[in-house]
């Protein structure tokens, strides 16, 4: 048997062996189990059975703690984040994706158990690419429900709109994009501020191996941002923070909250009648 | 205004090139794209014209894209200008290309790209590698309509451009089929972590006309290891080669 044939057989044996392990499937490296449109349909079904969350605050100023790329696995930083969130008495905690390392159920369980320590605070979670690995969507859906939804904040004199989007697969998909356009067209002018939260960062500020949305999709979102005066777009995925502003839209990308990451941190978003303020805070 | 000036420059350069009395080649191509993507709001059609003038080692080309059916408010949606020079060092031949791409994908914001490519063509393979600098700039229309006066642009530097192409037959054969992996098309330069595969074929119908066809399959999330379908289109067109001079 020639060398080449032996190499091919060796590769096939490795692939077959790995594929028979329930923690690893070759297919999962390349394509998600559910498409973005399938996840969107399920999210809309969830939304129809669950009313839009509205946070009512008593003052004109309110704040959120927002984190991304926690990659549970380990939960040291997430536990610290939960403690700091309780102490700061913010109005919500938001997780913009990559909650888990590889989409396994035990990762989701550990994440959920840790964030249960957040007392009486609204929690919003968004799916990231890692959360979809190895059939992870079904666990995200069972623990957190929709990956595409809105929530609102009502102050004594104003109300603000927050739109959470699923970019776990590197695209909004045509159905979610239509939903976003309709939401902006029908709802935007009823609100003072409008922010979008999603996992995949839109702007490519530095060279990394992680993927952004295709340029055609970025062009569409930039156009919508100007047309509908989107105030902030908050993302993760890149693991390193950046702030870029174009027109009236500020793009904020977060440091990862990942355990062991040198610059692990989160974002404090403070909103009042004059402006939206942001502080990047180190978790260490 | 910018587009008008660029068009005038292109016409002057092209006129100069074809008036120069030397053995030269002119290529004119017209092609159409039919397809759909996650952002195209259904089926789209675009038509593009391409013209190139090659004189000895220097080649100037320009291309312009027109949206026949698409969500864009603009009809002329992109213009491309390229200057390429051939080199031969010892037995290694390659060319260097500089490009300027102006993309009017929206009424409110435009994109410009400057880029540089090194190109090596072999018998069956073609390799392109280079970099581009991208800028998104808010238009005057958007500034007036939405009262914007600051933070009017955003830049991206040193994006890697690449193409690896394999053709079944030698590149100059009368007919050919092949496959390419790239992040660049005439009017779209995607980010380096969004590669796209396409199949291509050509057939020289009758000298100097060549018919060609490409099928592009776009996916998103490749380097996220979480891949989704993004779009598919078919491109079909003809190339007309004209030789001038002696």
């Amino acid at each position: 048997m020639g060398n080449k044939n032996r190499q091919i057989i060796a590769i096939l044996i490795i692939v077959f062996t790995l594929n028979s392990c329930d923690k690893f499937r070759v297919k999962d490296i390349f394509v998600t189990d559910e498409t973005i449109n399938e996840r969107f349909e399920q999210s809309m079904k969830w939304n129809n059975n669950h009313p839009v969350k509205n946070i009512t605050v008593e003052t004109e100023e309110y704040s959120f703690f927002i984190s991304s790329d926690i990659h549970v696995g380990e939960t040291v930083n997430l536990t610290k984040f939960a403690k700091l969130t309780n102490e700061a008495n913010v109005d919500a905690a938001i997780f913009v994706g990559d909650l888990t390392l590889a989409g396994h159920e035990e990762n989701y369980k550990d994440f959920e158990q840790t964030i249960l320590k957040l007392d009486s605070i609204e929690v919003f979670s968004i799916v990231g690419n890692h959360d979809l690995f190895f059939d992870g969507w079904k666990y995200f859906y069972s623990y957190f429900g929709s990956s595409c939804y809105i929530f609102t904040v009502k102050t004594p004199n104003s109300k603000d709109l927050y739109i959470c989007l699923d970019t776990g697969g590197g695209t909004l998909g045509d159905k979610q994009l239509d939903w976003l356009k309709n939401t902006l067209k029908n709802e935007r002018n009823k609100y003072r501020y409008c922010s979008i939260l999603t996992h995949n960062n839109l702007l490519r500020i530095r060279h990394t191996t992680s993927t952004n949305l295709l340029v055609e999709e970025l062009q569409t979102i930039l156009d919508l941002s100007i047309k509908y005066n989107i105030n902030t777009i908050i993302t993760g995925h890149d693991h390193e923070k950046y702030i870029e502003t174009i027109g009236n839209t500020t793009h904020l990308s977060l440091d990862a909250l990942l355990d062991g990451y040198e610059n692990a941190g989160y974002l404090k978003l403070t909103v009042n009648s004059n402006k939206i303020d942001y502080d990047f805070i180190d978790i260490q | 205004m910018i587009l008008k000036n660029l068009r005038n420059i292109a016409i002057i350069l092209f006129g100069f090139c074809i008036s120069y009395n030397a053995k030269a080649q002119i290529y004119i191509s017209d092609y159409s794209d039919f397809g759909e993507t996650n952002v195209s709001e259904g089926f789209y059609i675009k038509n593009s014209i391409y013209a190139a003038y090659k004189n000895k080692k220097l080649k100037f080309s320009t291309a312009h894209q027109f949206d026949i059916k698409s969500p864009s408010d603009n009809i002329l949606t992109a213009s491309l200008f390229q200057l390429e020079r051939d080199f031969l060092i010892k037995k290694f031949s390659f060319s260097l290309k500089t490009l300027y791409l102006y993309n009017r994908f929206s009424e409110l914001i435009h994109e410009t790209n400057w880029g540089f490519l090194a190109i090596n063509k072999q018998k069956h393979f073609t390799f392109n590698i280079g970099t581009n600098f991208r800028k998104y700039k808010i238009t005057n229309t958007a500034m007036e309509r939405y009262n914007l006066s600051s933070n009017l642009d955003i830049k991206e530097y040193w994006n890697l451009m690449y193409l690896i192409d394999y053709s079944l037959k030698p590149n100059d054969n009368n007919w050919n089929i092949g496959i390419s992996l790239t992040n660049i098309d005439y009017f779209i330069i995607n980010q380096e972590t969004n590669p796209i595969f396409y199949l291509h074929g050509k057939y020289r119908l009758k000298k100097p006309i060549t018919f060609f066809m490409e099928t592009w399959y776009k996916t998103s999330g490749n380097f996220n290891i979480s891949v989704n379908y993004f779009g598919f289109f078919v491109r079909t067109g003809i190339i007309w080669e004209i030789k001038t001079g002696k």
Side-chain angles (χ1 to χ4, degrees), chain A residues 28-32 34-36 39 129 132-133 168-171 173-174 177-178 181 200 202-205 207-220 222-223 226-227 237 244-248, chain B residues 37-39 41 103 105-109 111 134 136-138 142 146 148 150-160 188-194 196 218-230:
Chain A
D28 289 330
I29 292 175
F30 300 104
V31 64
T32 53
E34 295 83 10
T35 64
I36 176 60
R39 296 200 301 276
N129 54 303
L132 300 175
F133 290 176
T171 177
D174 56 343
L177 180 60
D178 281 344
K181 286 178 181 174
N200 213 139
L202 304 182
L203 305 174
R204 191 165 180 79
I205 302 304
H207 287 280
T208 69
T209 54
S210 62
T211 299
N212 302 93
L213 273 57
L214 268 74
V215 154
E216 299 97 304
E217 198 152 23
L218 171 60
Q219 290 169 350
T220 302
L222 289 175
D223 176 72
I226 299 167
K227 195 186 261 182
H237 188 59
E244 291 286 342
T245 302
I246 181 153
N248 285 332
Chain B
T37 69
N38 286 345
V39 301
E41 293 183 5
N103 198 322
F105 59 88
S106 148
E107 196 190 14
L108 307 177
I109 184 166
E111 177 187 320
R134 193 193 314 267
Y136 291 105
K137 189 171 183 306
I138 289 173
Y146 301 103
L148 300 170
S150 61
N151 300 313
L152 298 174
D153 63 45
I154 208 157
K155 298 182 185 78
E156 181 188 300
Y157 298 104
W158 298 110
N159 180 55
L160 179 70
I188 291 270
I189 301 173
N190 250 302
Q191 289 155 344
E192 59 212 13
T193 48
N194 280 318
I196 306 162
K218 294 186 166 188
T219 53
S220 64
N222 291 289
F223 279 49
N224 288 350
I225 324 178
S226 192
V227 174
N228 268 235
Y229 166 81
F230 184 83

Side-chain angles (χ1 to χ4, degrees), chain B residues 150-193:
Chain B
S150 61
N151 300 313
L152 298 174
D153 63 45
I154 208 157
K155 298 182 185 78
E156 181 188 300
Y157 298 104
W158 298 110
N159 180 55
L160 179 70
M161 294 195 288
Y162 55 87
L163 174 126
I164 303 166
D165 177 88
Y166 172 75
S167 294
L168 186 69
K169 293 287 185 183
N171 274 315
D172 55 358
N173 204 54
N174 272 349
W175 70 269
N176 220 330
I177 54 172
I179 184 167
S180 295
L181 174 70
T182 184
N183 67 330
I184 50 180
D185 194 2
Y186 287 104
F187 305 108
I188 291 270
I189 301 173
N190 250 302
Q191 289 155 344
E192 59 212 13
T193 48

Side-chain angles (χ1 to χ4, degrees), chain A residues 65 67 77-85 93 95 257 266 283:
Chain A
F65 276 3
S67 85
N77 281 350
L78 183 62
T79 306
K80 274 189 208 172
F81 176 83
K83 182 168 177 286
L84 291 165
T85 304
F95 299 97
L257 195 68
Y266 59 98
I283 195 80

Side-chain angles (χ1 to χ4, degrees), chain B residues 28 44 90 98 101 106 134 151 160 190 192 200-201 205 236:
Chain B
I28 297 171
Y44 74 81
K90 302 239 170 132
T98 182
L101 168 61
S106 148
R134 193 193 314 267
N151 300 313
L160 179 70
N190 250 302
E192 59 212 13
H200 58 86
L205 287 161
T236 178

Side-chain angles (χ1 to χ4, degrees), chain A:
Chain A
M1 190 188 287
N3 256 345
K4 206 172 180 181
N5 288 338
R6 279 200 213 106
Q7 284 169 8
I8 292 168
I9 290 169
I11 290 167
L12 285 172
I13 289 171
I14 292 168
V15 165
F16 181 75
T17 308
L18 286 171
N19 218 26
S20 36
C21 165
D22 61 6
K23 292 279 184 246
F24 184 92
R25 293 185 300 176
V26 173
K27 167 192 157 292
D28 289 330
I29 292 175
F30 300 104
V31 64
T32 53
D33 280 273
E34 295 83 10
T35 64
I36 176 60
N37 282 347
E38 285 165 348
R39 296 200 301 276
F40 174 76
E41 297 290 351
Q42 289 174 41
S43 294
M44 290 299 108
K45 217 179 263 185
W46 173 279
N47 293 349
N48 288 340
N49 293 327
H50 298 80
V52 171
K53 274 203 185 153
N54 173 59
I55 302 170
T56 302
V57 297
E58 290 169 3
T59 61
E60 283 307 311
E61 184 171 292
Y62 64 89
S63 56
F64 299 148
F65 276 3
I66 307 174
S67 85
S68 181
D69 297 277
I70 305 99
H71 290 290
V72 167
E74 304 297 322
T75 55
V76 171
N77 281 350
L78 183 62
T79 306
K80 274 189 208 172
F81 176 83
K83 182 168 177 286
L84 291 165
T85 304
N86 286 333
E87 287 168 2
N89 201 26
V90 293
D91 298 283
I94 308 172
F95 299 97
V96 289
D98 280 1
L99 319 178
T100 64
L101 185 62
H104 296 308
E105 190 179 11
E106 55 265 33
N107 297 156
Y108 277 107
K109 232 182 240 173
D110 290 341
F111 179 86
E112 200 222 15
Q113 288 301 312
T114 312
I115 64 169
L116 283 174
K117 294 173 185 152
L118 291 165
D119 306 321
S120 312
I121 290 173
E122 287 289 354
V123 176
F124 300 97
S125 297
I126 294 166
V127 79
N129 54 303
H130 277 249
D131 303 318
L132 300 175
F133 290 176
F134 308 124
D135 208 14
W137 165 247
K138 68 176 185 242
Y139 303 120
F140 181 94
Y141 191 72
S142 73
Y143 282 96
F144 307 111
S146 177
S147 69
C148 173
Y149 56 93
I150 62 170
F151 67 91
T152 61
V153 178
K154 194 167 181 300
T155 71
N157 295 320
S158 301
K159 48 183 188 170
D160 301 323
L161 176 64
Y162 292 86
I163 304 174
C164 299
L165 299 172
D166 177 345
T167 50
T171 177
L172 289 174
D174 56 343
K175 292 184 178 177
Q176 186 177 211
L177 180 60
D178 281 344
W179 176 86
L180 173 63
K181 286 178 181 174
N182 284 331
T183 302
L184 289 169
K185 185 178 167 193
N186 298 328
E187 302 295 322
R188 175 63 184 97
N189 58 2
K190 299 176 188 170
Y191 296 89
R192 176 182 58 175
Y193 297 130
C194 174
S195 296
I196 286 178
L197 300 117
T198 190
H199 178 64
N200 213 139
N201 58 310
L202 304 182
L203 305 174
R204 191 165 180 79
I205 302 304
R206 64 188 190 99
H207 287 280
T208 69
T209 54
S210 62
T211 299
N212 302 93
L213 273 57
L214 268 74
V215 154
E216 299 97 304
E217 198 152 23
L218 171 60
Q219 290 169 350
T220 302
I221 295 171
L222 289 175
D223 176 72
L224 290 173
S225 302
I226 299 167
K227 195 186 261 182
Y228 293 105
N229 190 24
I230 294 170
N231 302 99
T232 50
I233 297 180
I234 300 168
T235 61
H237 188 59
D238 195 36
H239 286 212
E240 271 190 34
K241 61 176 170 282
Y242 66 71
I243 307 159
E244 291 286 342
T245 302
I246 181 153
N248 285 332
T249 309
T250 300
H251 292 249
L252 300 166
S253 196
L254 274 56
D255 281 319
L257 195 68
L258 168 69
D259 281 9
Y261 180 60
E262 195 185 333
N263 299 320
Y266 59 98
L267 176 76
K268 181 180 179 185
L269 196 78
T270 306
V271 182
N272 59 46
S273 50
N274 295 322
K275 59 178 179 167
I276 300 174
D277 227 335
Y278 45 86
D279 280 303
F280 291 99
I281 303 171
D282 288 340
I283 195 80
Q284 312 301 346

